[in-house]
Amino acid sequence: MARTKWLKIRVSDQEITDIKKRAGQHDTSNYVRRLVLDQPVSAPKPKHKKIVHSADPELVRAINRIGININQIAKQTNTGQEVGNSVLMALLNLQTTLDKALASSMPDDR
């Protein structure tokens, strides 16, 4: 069925916040339409909370610098320039070190 008519209502800031919270991941228009027309509304899917880990800002900057260097090496390699064995060995050692550091910093409940 084509929906060609508009139904406009005024709500307060608190009311729109409450409606959107109750709608969850449902489209707000469909949610309100179903409520008004006494149609069943399925329970909204719970929103997944984003887990934010705190990190030492200096560590983040250091890892960023490492990433920049790795990107420069990748660019050099992709343009056909030869990368020396010492650079490749340093990258392997860096990967091993980063893997160990990451493993020791992550909780075991993953």
Side-chain angles (χ1 to χ4, degrees), residues 31-45:
Y31 175 76
V32 172
R33 184 183 305 110
R34 287 179 173 272
L35 284 178
V36 170
L37 298 175
D38 290 326
Q39 295 175 346
V41 178
S42 61
K45 297 176 184 173

Side-chain angles (χ1 to χ4, degrees), residues 83-95:
V83 177
N85 286 338
S86 60
V87 172
L88 295 175
M89 290 303 296
L91 284 173
L92 285 173
N93 289 335
L94 176 62
Q95 181 180 4

Side-chain angles (χ1 to χ4, degrees), residues 19-31:
I19 290 169
K20 288 183 177 185
K21 183 179 176 183
R22 289 180 187 202
Q25 291 183 336
H26 291 293
D27 175 59
T28 306
S29 295
N30 287 331
Y31 175 76

Side-chain angles (χ1 to χ4, degrees), residues 46-58:
K47 292 184 179 180
H48 296 286
K49 292 183 179 180
K50 184 176 181 180
I51 299 173
V52 178
H53 297 285
S54 62
D56 177 17
E58 185 57 35

Side-chain angles (χ1 to χ4, degrees), residues 1 3 5-7 12 17 23 29 32 36 38 42 62 66 75 80 83 85 87 94 98 110:
M1 155 180 26
R3 293 186 173 100
K5 304 295 180 191
W6 286 83
L7 174 64
S12 69
T17 300
S29 295
V32 172
V36 170
D38 290 326
S42 61
I66 292 168
K75 182 178 179 181
V83 177
N85 286 338
V87 172
L94 176 62
L98 288 175
R110 297 185 274 156

Side-chain angles (χ1 to χ4, degrees), residues 94-109:
L94 176 62
Q95 181 180 4
T96 303
T97 303
L98 288 175
D99 287 343
K100 287 178 183 176
L102 181 62
S104 67
S105 69
M106 297 297 293
D108 291 332
D109 60 347

